[in-house]
Amino acid sequence: MNVLDMTIIRLAAGLVLLIAANIALGSINAIIDGEWDQTKFRNGCIKSAVVAAALVAVYFAGYLNPDLMVVEVDGQTVNLMTAVSLAMLAAFTAYAVDVLKKLKDMLSTATPGADAAPAACRRERGNPCRPQGGMTYERY
């Protein structure tokens, strides 16, 4: 393997970790807000697996045919392998920015206590709420 291959492998591993961190932070925020949705979580996991598989497939296509699709842009030659590297770098950057935003939001907001009800279940006149096991609140 040459240096480019190891760089792409490290970038791909980092991208998988960023995708996992993005899902974990989004899930924790949803649980804290009382808006957990199993379907949305499942769809996010499926989407991340498809994105990772697509990047791996395109990488191997570029590895098998490195000089295919040669384009010259401003004097710079871009082949399929270079395009794959740029796509992975763009995906890495997009997920990194999203994870950093979620971390900033998580660090800058207060965590509700065990007795705090979610906003959708605040006590209203004639409509009291009570906890029903764990952090789940149901109206009665």
Side-chain angles (χ1 to χ4, degrees):
M1 283 191 184
N2 59 25
V3 175
L4 179 64
D5 290 339
M6 287 307 295
T7 302
I8 289 186
I9 289 171
R10 285 190 199 115
L11 189 62
L15 181 59
V16 168
L17 291 173
L18 282 172
I19 290 171
N22 189 19
I23 291 172
L25 288 172
S27 297
I28 292 298
N29 284 338
I31 289 170
I32 289 173
D33 292 341
E35 300 172 355
W36 170 258
D37 183 7
Q38 180 70 28
T39 303
K40 188 173 181 180
F41 174 75
R42 185 191 69 228
N43 291 344
C45 290
I46 291 170
K47 176 185 168 186
S48 66
V50 168
V51 167
L55 286 171
V56 167
V58 172
Y59 171 76
F60 280 118
Y63 184 77
L64 294 173
N65 303 297
D67 294 324
L68 193 65
M69 193 179 84
V70 175
V71 178
E72 187 150 338
V73 179
D74 292 331
Q76 181 74 24
T77 301
V78 178
N79 61 12
L80 188 57
M81 286 302 292
T82 306
V84 169
S85 299
L86 293 174
M88 289 183 78
L89 185 59
F92 186 91
T93 303
Y95 273 102
V97 167
D98 196 30
V99 166
L100 289 174
K101 282 180 186 176
K102 286 180 181 177
L103 278 173
K104 179 194 112 4
D105 291 344
M106 189 170 278
L107 292 173
S108 63
T109 58
T111 303
D115 59 342
C121 194
R122 299 264 188 243
R123 291 192 181 272
E124 300 166 357
R125 192 165 62 178
N127 192 12
C129 297
R130 66 177 176 169
Q132 298 292 325
M135 293 181 63
T136 303
Y137 288 83
E138 295 178 4
R139 293 174 192 234
Y140 66 98

